[in-house]
Amino acid sequence: MKITHRSIAHATTALMLSLALVSCGGGNEADKARTLHFGNSAEPLSLDPHQASGVWENRIIGDLLIGLVTDDPKGRPIPGMATGWTTSSDGLVWTFKLRDALWSDGVPVTADDFVYAWRRIMTTKPPAKYASILYVIKNAEQIYDGRIKDVTQLGVRAIDAKTLEVTLDHPAPYLPGLLTHYTSFPIPKHVVEKVGSAWIKAENFVGNGPFKLKQWKPNDFVHVVRNTNYYENAKVCLDQIFYYPTTDDNAAERRVRTGELDINANFSGSRLEEINKNLPGYARIHSYTGLTYYLFNMRKPPFNDERVRAAISMTADREFVTSQILKAKQEPAYSLVPPGVAHYTSGAVTTDFKGQSLQTRLVRARKLLEEAGYGPSKPLKFTFSFRNTNDNPRVAPVVQQNWAKIAPWVQVDILGAETQINYEKLRNGDFQLGDAGWISDFNDAKNFVYLFQTSTDQLNYGKYSNPEFDRLMDAADLEKDTKKRAALMQEAEALVLKENGLMPMWFLTNRNLVSPRITGWEDNAVDIHRARYLCTTDALKSATLPKS
């Protein structure tokens, strides 16, 4: 076999994994039966729920920490740290009763841990990337942006050790679903006050979830082990999990085939036929409440001109991309909110070019660009930045060719970057046209439409801002009638589409490779699969179930 840098790296990883297994008692068959090897798409930038922002981070954090509400095997919200809750008649005050539970170091989890966590996410430095999802809490937005200096004014308080009261700015019937998101998870006050941001290091880590952090070897693996103080430890099958950053889908597929990985969190749709042939029963495809979309940096030329945004958006051949490149049941997107979102009709509003032939769009686009002052003497030049993972590198040259068909003077460079770097560039405004994806955090249209509110800050990557859009979203927040609320959000969605504040590309499907060795996996629309529900056929056969 020819020795290459890649094969050396794989050999080194295998050796490190073997040593890790031995060091944590994973050297016998029983321990291997309770070990999961998970291909997790990308390297986490942080496992602090106040600094994370990606689904690959969510997969790990959701196994380390549990919020007031958690996910069932089908990704639906169920009571977590809260045993139940009540709501005031106006929908503004929610009272949560907490179960008896311990942190992994044996210290009781209290309502004060939630108060501490929620105050921290609004004031932490660097600013939390995802704080805006919690703006529904009274005074949260004003505290985050500094208009209110007193963090105790946040609408959350501990009535006693086991009772948490949350006051909202407006009614939010979707709150239980929102509280499954890691931004709302508790953090151990007694540890964070002592070691600060270093609390998430393996040597300091304390959590309340089914697993605790054992080791994090950057760009190699994250290793978590059973937390015996978890309140439902007796129901957990696995003893340990290794999460690997698998940015190369084809390489990950080979690792699944050889048994190095039990699960990989993606596969290329173009490989589906071969996968079904070589790995029958492994490919899992399910509809997904998610969207791939491209963002225009509206802060500077050329995309501060709506005509340029319209021309570029209408000439991307979504049908070709989904049918010939992606090939895993993705649907072309001409709107913002995907199908399957509760109390909302997806596609009720769309871009004005949906249904037009590509040739018609190309003619329209050229005219728009000429009106904007571009032509042979002033070519339109820009860079398209994309995530260098999954199918995105295969799509980028296709849309580049689409745009080249507008006119010879449309000149587009494409630039790939690792997922984390790409999103950091989006947050910092270091892009012209950028690639992004969004997966629902809770089953409500607001979780998509709010991305374009002025107040959404870091997640409003292109900095779209329209007072009328903001007014509609504020009115929707105050509207109790479900149909009227949806209508207001549809007006807002129609406005951002009309102004080409985004470039919707395709609605997602979730695609996973799952070994038949794994039991308890339930395909679902949010692609949430908490490891506490998973087991292996080996463990079940040998009855090597939970260690108490």
Side-chain angles (χ1 to χ4, degrees):
M1 179 177 70
K2 180 179 179 181
I3 301 298
T4 65
H5 292 296
R6 178 171 290 182
S7 60
I8 290 172
H10 283 172
T12 302
T13 299
L15 176 60
M16 289 295 298
L17 176 56
S18 298
L19 291 174
L21 283 168
V22 171
S23 68
C24 65
N28 59 55
E29 291 304 314
D31 285 319
K32 290 177 182 177
R34 296 190 300 271
T35 298
L36 178 68
H37 298 286
F38 197 112
N40 192 32
S41 298
E43 171 71 13
L45 283 181
S46 177
L47 295 179
D48 186 329
H50 298 168
Q51 295 300 327
S53 63
V55 292
W56 55 94
E57 293 160 331
N58 179 22
R59 292 186 188 107
I60 304 173
I61 294 171
D63 287 335
L64 299 175
L65 298 166
I66 298 283
L68 294 169
V69 184
T70 189
D71 314 276
D72 75 359
K74 292 185 179 294
R76 300 171 300 198
I78 57 172
M81 287 300 297
T83 57
W85 49 85
T86 57
T87 312
S88 62
S89 58
D90 61 4
L92 295 179
V93 180
W94 294 61
T95 305
F96 296 87
K97 285 294 183 180
L98 272 60
R99 69 175 71 249
D100 291 328
L102 302 174
W103 292 104
S104 55
D105 62 357
V107 173
V109 181
T110 69
D112 198 40
D113 289 311
F114 284 90
V115 174
Y116 179 76
W118 293 6
R119 288 176 177 175
R120 179 179 182 261
I121 195 172
M122 294 302 157
T123 57
T124 189
K125 302 297 179 185
K129 301 176 180 69
Y130 231 138
S132 58
I133 198 174
L134 296 178
Y135 281 178
V136 66
I137 300 171
K138 184 178 180 180
N139 294 330
E141 182 179 351
Q142 295 91 329
I143 291 170
Y144 180 83
D145 65 21
R147 283 177 286 165
I148 294 178
K149 304 296 183 182
D150 182 4
V151 71
T152 65
Q153 296 302 305
L154 186 68
V156 55
R157 70 185 183 104
I159 295 177
D160 56 46
K162 297 298 178 184
T163 310
L164 182 72
E165 182 184 88
V166 180
T167 303
L168 307 182
D169 259 337
H170 54 78
Y174 53 82
L175 186 66
L178 185 154
L179 294 179
T180 65
H181 195 263
Y182 55 80
T183 48
S184 71
F185 289 178
I187 60 174
K189 178 182 178 181
H190 64 289
V191 177
V192 181
E193 286 190 333
K194 182 179 179 181
V195 301
S197 60
W199 77 276
I200 203 64
K201 292 184 176 180
E203 61 268 26
N204 299 324
F205 179 78
V206 171
N208 69 327
F211 298 92
K212 57 185 180 180
L213 187 61
K214 175 75 172 180
Q215 184 183 12
W216 181 0
K217 184 173 173 55
N219 297 306
D220 200 344
F221 61 80
V222 174
H223 179 202
V224 305
V225 297
R226 175 188 292 275
N227 170 21
T228 55
N229 279 328
Y230 172 55
Y231 64 86
E232 287 191 333
N233 176 55
K235 296 182 180 180
V236 178
C237 170
L238 299 172
D239 277 349
Q240 59 184 343
I241 310 165
F242 291 87
Y243 303 90
Y244 307 92
T246 49
T247 57
D248 185 330
D249 286 340
N250 292 335
E253 180 191 328
R254 290 192 292 271
R255 294 176 69 185
V256 171
R257 187 182 304 179
T258 60
E260 291 180 62
L261 295 177
D262 298 302
I263 297 169
N264 193 59
N266 196 62
F267 63 84
S268 173
S270 64
R271 294 281 304 158
L272 182 57
E273 185 176 343
E274 282 296 308
I275 289 171
N276 285 336
K277 177 181 176 182
N278 297 318
L279 294 168
Y282 279 69
R284 312 290 287 262
I285 300 177
H286 195 277
S287 58
Y288 205 6
T289 48
L291 169 75
T292 289
Y293 63 116
Y294 298 164
L295 274 302
F296 303 104
N297 189 337
M298 300 175 64
R299 289 162 280 200
K300 53 189 177 183
F303 294 119
N304 58 348
D305 189 321
E306 193 276 330
R307 294 168 296 186
V308 179
R309 300 195 301 270
I312 296 305
S313 182
M314 69 176 60
T315 46
D317 192 346
R318 295 156 175 83
E319 281 72 17
F320 181 85
V321 167
T322 53
S323 65
Q324 301 302 314
I325 305 298
L326 303 178
K327 297 183 178 180
K329 302 182 181 180
Q330 296 91 339
E331 292 293 330
Y334 293 93
S335 57
L336 170 58
V337 182
V341 172
H343 311 300
Y344 200 84
T345 303
S346 175
V349 293
T350 66
T351 61
D352 68 353
F353 53 82
K354 181 182 180 181
Q356 293 180 352
S357 70
L358 183 59
Q359 188 57 42
T360 299
R361 299 180 198 180
L362 288 167
V363 172
R364 282 187 62 193
R366 180 167 180 150
K367 183 178 180 182
L368 285 168
L369 293 180
E370 289 172 341
E371 289 175 0
Y374 295 96
S377 61
K378 183 186 176 182
L380 174 65
K381 298 180 180 181
F382 65 89
T383 298
F384 172 49
S385 305
F386 62 92
R387 292 167 289 168
N388 202 17
T389 51
N390 302 335
D391 290 311
N392 300 300
R394 298 171 61 239
V395 174
V398 173
V399 291
Q400 181 188 37
Q401 291 171 16
N402 291 158
W403 297 321
K405 291 177 181 178
I406 300 173
W409 38 263
V410 176
Q411 301 165 13
V412 184
D413 293 325
I414 57 176
L415 178 65
E418 292 302 312
T419 298
Q420 310 95 317
I421 296 172
N422 181 75
Y423 279 111
E424 193 65 24
K425 289 171 67 176
L426 292 180
R427 285 189 291 269
N428 293 334
D430 183 20
F431 72 101
Q432 290 183 292
L433 178 64
D435 158 42
W438 189 258
I439 313 301
S440 62
D441 299 307
F442 53 95
N443 192 6
D444 192 89
K446 177 174 179 172
N447 192 219
F448 289 87
V449 189
Y450 100 112
L451 292 172
F452 297 91
Q453 284 182 260
T454 305
S455 61
T456 301
D457 192 38
Q458 292 194 58
L459 297 179
N460 184 353
Y461 303 126
K463 295 300 182 241
Y464 173 84
S465 182
N466 183 314
E468 177 62 10
F469 182 96
D470 294 341
R471 185 196 69 79
L472 288 165
M473 292 301 291
D474 289 342
D477 284 339
L478 298 173
E479 179 55 64
K480 293 182 179 180
D481 184 276
T482 301
K483 292 183 179 179
K484 291 179 180 179
R485 178 173 176 270
L488 287 165
M489 285 192 286
Q490 284 176 339
E491 283 189 61
E493 182 185 9
L495 188 56
V496 71
L497 291 171
K498 179 181 178 183
E499 297 184 335
N500 289 281
L502 78 153
M503 184 174 166
M505 284 298 295
W506 63 85
F507 295 124
L508 301 173
T509 55
N510 60 64
R511 306 184 303 283
N512 296 280
L513 292 180
V514 183
S515 168
R517 171 180 181 262
I518 302 302
T519 65
W521 181 279
E522 295 274 358
D523 293 321
N524 60 69
V526 292
D527 201 25
I528 296 291
H529 310 277
R530 298 307 184 196
R532 63 185 177 273
Y533 301 123
L534 304 181
C535 194
T536 71
T537 53
D538 297 332
L540 294 173
K541 286 177 183 177
S542 60
T544 56
L545 284 176
K547 293 179 180 177
S548 59

